């Protein structure tokens, strides 16, 4: 109701789709890493929604980085 | 009768003082002649009673009043609602003359009424409406032809306007006067033997709809049911349904093959028991159209209306498919009666949700006649309350919504329309999680922050009361109509909640039904703000509400995180936090702090012994926001989004998952859950065995699915289209919005028509597709045990052993 903008999960889908050529060139192993990174971004839907950046790739990227940071922190523990 | 209301609450809505019929206090125009001009042949009489039913039959309003001796008095009076035109004088005058020429409405003169958006009085040409039925279409044409013209109070329900004008509402205690000999509508038809008929001269309410101590009077009920599956028709060439009526232990059945004796028996039953309420299931859609046609064919008189003028009913089976939140829903045409309630349980949201108590509660608040409220939504109830408030304030009720969104840069649009916040919880089993919920978050926000269409972005308060994160503000100088209506509902619900804690056990179900009806109404108010045809809705209001919602949730998150709690999950109005060895007093203090910072009550829903957040079925690395279940410290289970909660799930699968949850619900912690894994496994084996040995009845395996279009418009061979085709071949049509229930016979069969078997032919099944059902069984099993079998949490958390 009253939804005139795309939900953030679809925004991530769109960014992912926009990079499908990039992904195609990756090796199988790197393709899996690429998919994981986009799933990392999806975990940050609340932030993406609240920020509503006109260039969504920036929030997608930040979401990926935060999850990577988390992995690093966990490794070090 | 207890009267727990504070005197203040009663004073707020005191019944209107003596208002003679046909006059309005707000206006300065010469008063019209009152209807007692007829020569009186008998002395005027006075009485008290309960306002049982109200109906408008052009040009008269008809009231049915239950008197102290149990009788029913039918009174009527001519009633002409008002409507208003605004615009340049000659434009409005010309339009009014048109309406007068066509005898639709008579101009009364210019007056001043308050304009809804600005809150200021403007000149308006008042008209006395003679034919409300013809008015709407005619005015719509006039507005289309003349852009400078605006019209108000055009499409209001005359019964609601009459109620509002005289402070009345369904089942109000009323004092009234009438002339027994007046030409009061049709006093002839006297089915119950208790009507005198007459002309109403004066009426006023003696109580208010705000009194929670109201007690529903005893009602004589007649139930009307189909004897077989509602899909089996009452006419046609195949096997037929029949209708069974029952009242006070007496019953009769009407056989469609020869309806005359059954109809006569039903007529006798109604005459003898004189029911107040015909309680039907599928009355609107199936029983009444057929019944009325049978009456026409046989010539047998059926006294459905009570003490009422004879009316001709148009017989229609027309159903309406409406889209609600993306789902096609079904709405049957209505068959209300006069002086007697006909309520169809299959065509009433509120009876379904809150029973007769809830329905009556809501009708009293909305002032809509019971039979109309029964078939209406919460949005209609809210609109009716807002219309009543507007009329009370002498405010013009807009006819065609002429507001548009102001232009905004695209970047601003991006920031505004975001909905509620929804996190992804870390999948896994967690112990000691505290759930906190904002009580009635959106309605309270509207009440606290004065969010209403006419208070949004006013010119007088620019720079004040900003809505967080979006470029809107609300007015601080006048109270909005929507918040005012909401405050009444919120405070009345609170009264019922308090009564629930203190009342004797016998009264509990009554108060619970009433507070639940109000809750359902509150739930719908928010969605209505974004609805394009809502009378008092505005998209900016919708955006402001969700913006405040996000803000309050973030404040709550910050307050708890500052105190060292870990936030696991948050979803629009609820928050899940964790802190080992937390102090309940501290949680209460933090919740209090959130209340003082947001104005919203944050309550502790409960502390979970354990809670399971589930991983996504599509992306295993992710979790889902809306599927979880857990056990509260008091032993109750809370379930969200599981198979047991879904409507389509077959009873067998549902019972199986319930059995699993019962086992898990008995476990108090993770260790006990893990120890229960073998028992869960054997419950699964048992169910699987029953399935393969063919021990499950077909009805237990029926899957329910909603029909979204006509049978011809389906192209694929999915279960729904196949079932519709099978049913159509047997003379049964299911309209869009209704459900079809079917059994999977053999999903792999080359002929699609052999794959599924729909209700009501399930007993013809010679077998079922055990492979397909085992897959569903496994799905249901995995759904609740997934966190026991996974080697570790999806994102983080302690390592777990593979258990299953």
């Amino acid at each position: 109701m009253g939804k005139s903008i795309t939900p953030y999960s679809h925004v991530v889908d769109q960014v992912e789709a926009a990079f499908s050529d990039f992904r195609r060139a990756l090796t199988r192993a790197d393709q899996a890493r690429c998919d994981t990174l986009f799933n990392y971004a999806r975990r940050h839907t609340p932030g993406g929604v609240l920020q509503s950046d006109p260039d969504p790739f920036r929030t997608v990227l930040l979401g990926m980085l935060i999850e990577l940071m988390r992995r690093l922190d966990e490794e070090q523990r | 009768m207890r009267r727990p209301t504070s005197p203040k609450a009663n004073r707020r809505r005191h019944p209107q003082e003596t208002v003679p019929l046909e006059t309005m206090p707000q206006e300065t125009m010469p008063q019209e002649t009152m209807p007692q001009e007829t020569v009186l042949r008998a002395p005027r009489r006075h009485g008290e009673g309960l306002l049982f039913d109200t109906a408008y039959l052009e040009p008269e309003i008809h009231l049915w009043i239950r008197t102290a001796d149990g009788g029913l008095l039918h009174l009527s009076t001519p009633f002409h609602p008002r409507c208003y035109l605004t615009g340049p004088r000659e434009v409005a005058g010309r339009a009014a003359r048109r309406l007068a020429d066509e005898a639709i409405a008579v101009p009364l003169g210019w007056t001043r009424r308050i304009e809804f958006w600005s809150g200021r009085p403007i000149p308006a040409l008042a008209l006395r409406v003679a034919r409300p039925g013809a008015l709407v279409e005619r005015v719509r044409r006039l507005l289309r032809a003349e852009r400078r013209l605006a019209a108000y109070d055009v499409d209001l329900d005359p019964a609601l306007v009459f109620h509002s004008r005289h402070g009345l509402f369904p089942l109000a205690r009323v004092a009234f006067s009438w002339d027994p000999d007046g030409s009061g509508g049709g006093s002839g038809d006297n089915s119950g033997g208790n009507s005198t008929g007459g002309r109403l001269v004066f009426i006023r309410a003696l109580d208010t709809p705000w009194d929670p101590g109201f007690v529903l009077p005893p009602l004589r009920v007649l139930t009307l049911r189909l004897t077989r599956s509602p899909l089996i028709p009452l006419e046609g060439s195949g096997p037929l349904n029949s209708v069974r009526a029952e009242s006070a232990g007496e019953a009769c059945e009407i056989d469609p093959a020869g309806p005359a004796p059954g109809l006569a028996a039903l007529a006798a039953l109604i005459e003898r028991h004189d029911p107040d309420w015909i309680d039907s299931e599928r009355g609107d859609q199936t029983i009444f159209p057929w019944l009325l046609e049978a009456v026409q064919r046989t010539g047998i008189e059926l006294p459905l209306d009570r003490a009422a003028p004879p009316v001709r009913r148009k017989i229609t089976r027309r159903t309406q498919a409406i889209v609600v939140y993306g789902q096609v829903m079904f709405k049957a045409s209505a068959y209300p009666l006069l002086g007697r309630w006909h309520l169809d349980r299959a065509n009433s949201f509120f009876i379904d949700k809150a029973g007769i108590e809830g329905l009556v509660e809501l009708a009293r608040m909305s002032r809509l006649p019971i039979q109309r409220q029964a078939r209406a939504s919460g949005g209609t109830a809210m609109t009716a309350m807002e219309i009543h408030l507007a009329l009370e304030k002498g405010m013009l009720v807009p006819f065609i919504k002429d507001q548009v969104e102001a232009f905004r840069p695209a970047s601003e649009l991006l920031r505004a329309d975001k909905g509620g916040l929804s996190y992804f919880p870390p999948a896994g089993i967690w112990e000691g999680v505290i759930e906190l919920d904002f009580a009635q978050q959106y309605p309270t926000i509207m009440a606290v922050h004065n969010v209403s269409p006419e208070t949004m972005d006013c010119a007088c308060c620019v720079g004040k009361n900003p809505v967080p994160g979006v470029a809107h503000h609300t007015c601080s100088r006048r109270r909005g109509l929507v918040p005012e209506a909401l405050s009444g509902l919120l405070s009345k619900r609170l009264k019922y909640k308090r009564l629930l804690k203190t009342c004797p056990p016998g009264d509990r179900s009554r108060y619970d039904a009433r507070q639940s009806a109000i809750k359902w109404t509150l739930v719908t108010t928010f969605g209505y703000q974004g609805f394009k045809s809502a009378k008092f809705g505005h998209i900016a209001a919708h955006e402001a509400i969700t913006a405040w919602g996000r803000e309050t949730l973030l404040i709550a998150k910050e307050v708890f995180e500052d105190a060292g709690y870990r936030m696991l999950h948050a979803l629009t109005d609820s928050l899940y936090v964790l802190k080992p060895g937390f102090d309940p007093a501290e949680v209460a203090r933090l919740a209090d702090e959130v209340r003082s910072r947001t104005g919203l009550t944050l309550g502790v829903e409960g502390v979970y012994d354990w809670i399971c957040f589930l991983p996504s079925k599509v992306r295993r690395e992710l979790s889902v926001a809306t599927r979880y279940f857990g056990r509260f410290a008091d032993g109750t289970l809370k379930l969200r989004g599981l198979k047991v909660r879904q409507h389509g799930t077959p009873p067998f699968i549902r019972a199986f998952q319930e059995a699993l949850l019962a086992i898990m619900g008995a476990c108090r912690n993770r260790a006990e859950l893990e120890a229960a894994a073998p028992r869960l496994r054997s419950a699964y084996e048992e169910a699987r065995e029953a399935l393969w040995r063919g021990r499950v009845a077909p009805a237990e395996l029926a899957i329910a699915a909603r029909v979204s279009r006509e049978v011809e418009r389906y192209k694929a061979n999915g279960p729904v289209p196949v079932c519709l085709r099978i049913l159509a071949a047997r003379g049964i049509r299911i309209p869009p919005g209704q459900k079809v229930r079917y059994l999977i016979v053999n999903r792999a069969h080359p002929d699609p028509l052999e794959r599924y078997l729909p209700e009501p032919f399930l007993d013809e099944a010679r077998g079922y597709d055990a492979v397909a059902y085992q897959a569903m069984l496994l799905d249901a099993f995995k759904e609740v045990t997934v966190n026991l079998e996974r080697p570790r949490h999806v994102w983080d958390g302690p390592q777990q052993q593979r258990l299953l």
Side-chain angles (χ1 to χ4, degrees):
Chain A
M1 209 105 37
K3 281 264 177 282
S4 54
I5 60 162
T6 333
Y8 188 72
S9 57
H10 292 197
V11 170
V12 181
D13 290 346
Q14 283 168 4
V15 174
E16 190 173 17
F19 284 86
S20 59
D21 286 346
F22 177 90
R23 183 183 180 277
R24 199 176 165 201
L26 299 174
T27 63
R28 267 292 147 82
D30 281 347
Q31 279 180 359
R33 291 189 181 100
C34 182
D35 297 346
T36 303
L37 282 174
F38 276 103
N39 280 343
Y40 283 173
R42 286 189 179 87
R43 291 178 192 169
H44 292 274
T45 298
V49 167
L50 220 58
Q51 182 70 27
S52 292
D53 202 296
D55 177 5
F57 185 65
R58 301 195 296 192
T59 48
V60 166
L61 201 59
L62 201 55
M64 293 172 174
L65 288 173
I66 288 169
E67 288 302 306
L68 285 172
M69 266 315 266
R70 186 214 297 272
R71 294 294 296 266
L72 276 177
D73 286 347
E74 281 168 8
E75 299 290 310
Q76 280 166 10
R77 233 185 283 148
Chain B
M1 187 169 59
R2 269 176 324 284
R3 290 236 172 182
T5 23
S6 67
K8 193 173 148 215
N10 272 335
R11 197 171 55 234
R12 241 184 82 231
R13 305 255 166 218
H14 205 72
Q16 275 176 295
E17 289 311 311
T18 323
V19 182
L21 298 174
E22 280 294 297
T23 61
M24 290 178 80
Q26 302 96 337
E27 288 174 24
T28 51
M29 286 172 298
Q31 292 201 347
E32 290 166 60
T33 49
M34 287 199 289
Q36 69 262 44
E37 59 203 295
T38 43
V39 181
L40 304 184
R41 294 185 202 113
R44 177 161 300 169
R45 294 166 67 173
H46 309 280
E48 281 189 18
L50 279 185
L51 180 56
F52 185 77
D53 194 16
T54 310
Y56 179 73
L57 304 170
E58 218 168 86
E60 288 183 318
I61 199 96
H62 294 257
L63 303 181
W64 286 264
I65 298 168
R66 209 169 144 131
T67 47
D69 58 4
L72 193 74
L73 191 61
H74 166 230
L75 301 172
S76 65
T77 182
F79 178 60
H80 303 287
R82 299 272 157 85
C83 77
Y84 299 88
L85 298 173
T86 64
R89 279 196 172 240
E90 70 283 3
V91 170
R94 209 179 310 129
R97 275 196 299 282
R98 276 277 179 74
L99 293 171
D101 287 347
E102 293 168 38
I104 293 174
V106 186
L108 297 173
W110 285 86
T111 176
R112 289 181 83 75
R113 304 278 288 179
I114 296 168
E115 200 266 330
F116 171 67
W117 294 101
S118 65
R120 297 208 179 89
I122 57 166
L125 179 57
L127 292 99
R128 184 177 192 265
V129 182
R131 291 161 51 204
L135 183 71
V136 174
E137 243 339 282
R138 193 66 192 91
V139 167
R140 194 165 280 149
R141 285 214 308 276
L142 286 172
L143 291 178
R144 234 177 271 140
E146 174 56 82
R147 308 287 298 177
R148 289 172 294 172
L149 189 68
Y152 301 89
D153 296 20
V154 168
D155 54 348
L156 309 183
D157 183 336
L160 171 65
V161 176
F162 184 84
H163 280 168
S164 173
R165 198 183 280 188
H166 299 286
L168 302 175
F169 49 91
L171 294 177
R173 216 155 51 76
V174 289
F176 57 99
S177 315
W178 86 102
D179 291 333
D181 257 354
S183 52
S187 53
D189 183 23
N190 189 352
S191 66
N194 48 12
S195 160
T196 55
R199 174 144 302 198
L200 182 74
V201 180
F202 162 84
I203 187 164
R204 78 180 173 102
L206 298 171
D207 57 353
T208 87
W210 302 95
D211 176 11
F214 164 76
V215 179
L216 191 66
L219 297 168
R220 289 187 297 273
V221 186
L222 181 137
T223 56
L224 214 49
R225 296 282 189 273
L226 292 166
T227 53
R228 303 177 65 188
S229 155
L231 296 177
I232 299 175
L234 281 162
E235 56 210 320
S237 48
L240 293 181
N241 222 321
S242 66
V243 174
R244 183 184 161 84
E246 204 179 316
S247 181
E250 264 188 84
C252 66
E253 200 165 315
I254 310 166
D255 178 6
L263 281 177
L266 176 60
L269 201 61
I270 294 176
E271 291 280 4
R272 210 163 38 246
H273 292 290
D274 187 27
D276 298 305
W277 165 23
I278 295 184
D279 170 352
S280 82
E281 179 125 24
R282 309 243 170 189
D284 282 343
Q285 182 202 351
T286 312
I287 301 177
F288 267 74
W290 176 79
L291 212 55
L292 294 172
E293 275 173 2
V295 163
Q296 280 180 359
R297 267 200 317 274
T298 57
I300 292 172
E301 265 192 48
L302 204 54
L304 289 170
D305 296 320
R306 189 153 58 155
V311 286
R312 279 180 63 89
R313 287 194 163 78
K314 214 173 87 189
I315 301 172
T316 165
R317 285 183 178 73
R318 216 169 56 102
T319 57
Q320 212 186 337
I322 49 171
V323 179
V324 181
Y325 283 105
Q327 214 182 27
V328 182
M329 302 290 276
F330 169 85
K331 204 169 176 334
S333 50
Y335 285 91
L337 301 177
L338 299 173
R340 176 174 284 142
W341 302 341
H342 167 226
L343 310 174
D344 178 355
R345 289 181 180 272
N347 197 26
S348 174
F349 177 79
F350 281 102
I351 294 194
D352 182 37
K353 294 289 182 207
I356 184 79
E357 279 285 353
L359 171 65
V360 168
E361 167 71 21
L362 205 60
R364 285 167 64 87
M365 307 284 284
S366 71
R367 297 173 195 263
L368 289 168
I370 301 267
Q371 299 183 76
R372 170 136 165 67
Q373 182 63 68
R375 292 162 175 93
S377 67
T380 311
M382 267 311 290
T383 305
M385 279 177 245
E386 287 153 12
I387 288 171
H388 167 70
L389 283 176
L391 292 174
E392 218 177 31
K393 292 172 195 289
M395 199 177 254
L396 295 165
V397 181
F399 171 43
I400 287 173
K401 235 178 67 157
D402 46 10
Q403 47 143 351
V404 283
E405 279 186 76
F407 281 105
R408 282 181 292 170
S411 57
E412 185 44 48
L413 264 181
L414 269 181
R415 291 194 68 85
D417 192 8
K418 304 174 198 172
L421 279 189
S422 162
Y423 284 77
F424 293 103
I429 300 168
W430 298 87
E431 293 176 286
V433 172
I434 310 156
E435 179 181 343
L436 300 129
D437 290 345
F438 282 111
Q440 296 295 332
Q441 188 193 31
Y442 284 174
T444 314
I445 284 173
M446 292 157 88
V448 168
H449 295 288
N450 196 26
V451 181
S452 192
E454 76 278 22
T455 59
M456 290 308 302
D457 304 326
C458 59
C460 52
C461 306
V462 180
K464 286 182 251 170
N465 312 320
V467 179
V470 290
H472 291 302
H473 67 269
T474 52
C475 188
S476 51
R477 296 172 48 155
R478 75 170 163 141
R479 185 94 171 115
L481 215 51
V482 177
E484 188 172 342
L486 277 173
S487 305
L489 282 178
L490 286 165
S491 66
K492 191 161 187 205
R493 177 154 185 261
L494 214 59
K495 279 185 204 165
Y496 283 130
K497 294 278 250 186
R498 282 202 202 109
L499 277 172
L500 269 172
K501 286 184 187 137
T502 56
C503 72
D507 289 350
R508 277 194 58 95
S509 64
R510 174 198 311 160
Y511 293 135
D512 196 45
R514 292 182 189 175
Q515 72 83 16
S516 140
I518 298 178
K519 185 191 80 184
W520 281 107
T521 309
L522 290 169
V523 165
T524 52
T525 54
F526 159 69
Y528 226 57
Q529 281 300 313
F531 180 43
K532 63 179 180 338
S533 55
K535 208 171 254 307
F536 301 103
H538 194 298
I539 194 68
H542 175 106
E543 291 170 1
I545 297 158
T546 54
W548 278 114
R550 292 188 297 272
E551 182 69 15
T552 48
L553 192 65
L554 288 174
I555 289 175
K557 170 181 103 66
E558 284 154 9
V559 164
F560 276 87
E561 283 183 337
D562 286 350
Y565 288 75
R566 172 170 176 201
M567 189 194 78
L568 280 182
H569 187 32
L571 189 66
T572 310
D573 60 353
S574 48
L575 194 67
Y576 299 79
V577 296
L578 185 64
K579 183 178 179 182
F582 70 92
D583 171 14
E586 184 188 50
V587 173
R589 187 177 57 73
L590 293 172
D592 248 11
E593 187 184 332
V594 173
R595 176 170 42 203
S596 71
R597 281 178 58 183
T598 62
L600 271 65
T601 308
L602 184 70
V604 180
E605 171 82 359
V607 178
Y608 289 94
D609 283 339
W610 51 265
I611 184 169
C612 258
F613 293 120
L614 300 176
S616 161
K617 287 175 182 164
V618 190
R619 294 190 170 91
R620 299 290 280 191
E621 289 171 298
L622 280 177
S623 61
V624 281
T626 50
R627 281 193 304 131
Y628 54 85
F629 62 102
R631 179 193 141 111
F632 283 122
D634 67 358
T636 56
L637 279 181
K638 179 164 180 172
L639 315 170
R640 283 287 173 273
L642 296 185
K643 289 258 187 301
V644 281
R645 304 252 309 183
Q646 289 162 13
H647 294 299
T649 309
F652 173 70
I653 306 285
R654 185 175 305 186
F656 165 67
Q657 209 179 43
E658 272 167 7
L660 296 184
L661 288 166
I663 295 173
M664 297 177 83
C667 303
R668 279 162 303 179
N669 51 42
R670 185 204 300 271
E672 288 185 19
L673 276 175
E674 289 170 355
R679 274 182 289 147
L680 296 171
R681 184 92 206 166
S682 64
Y684 169 70
E685 293 300 344
E686 222 170 86
R688 201 176 66 125
E689 176 119 345
L691 198 59
W692 280 100
R693 290 192 182 263
R695 289 207 300 259
V696 188
E700 292 293 297
L701 294 171
I703 300 166
R706 209 177 275 282
V707 177
S708 62
R709 58 189 98 160
E710 297 291 340
V711 56
E712 296 82 12
R713 297 195 46 214
Y714 277 104
K715 296 224 161 50
N717 278 328
V720 172
V722 166
C723 288
L724 289 181
R725 277 170 219 147
I726 295 171
L727 288 169
R730 301 218 198 175
I732 297 174
R733 284 191 79 88
I734 302 184
Q738 288 216 325
K739 278 181 183 165
V740 55
R741 258 174 257 279
Y742 64 92
L743 177 77
I744 306 175
V745 180
N746 178 2
R747 192 134 63 182
H749 200 284
D751 179 2
L753 293 178
E754 297 290 323
R755 290 176 194 164
Y756 310 100
L757 193 62
E759 225 175 38
F761 307 113
L762 293 183
D763 42 6
E764 295 172 15
R766 282 187 304 268
Y768 50 77
D769 190 333
V771 176
Y773 283 108
Q774 190 195 310
M776 293 173 75
L777 202 62
L778 189 61
D779 254 9
F781 175 68
K782 281 192 168 166
E783 189 173 63
V784 294
T785 58
V786 63
N787 287 314
L788 289 172
E789 67 176 359
R790 288 176 71 77
R792 51 168 292 160
H793 283 114
V794 178
W795 305 6
D796 51 13
Q799 292 273 332
Q800 269 192 344
Q801 283 188 335
R802 193 181 168 82
L803 287 161
L804 296 167

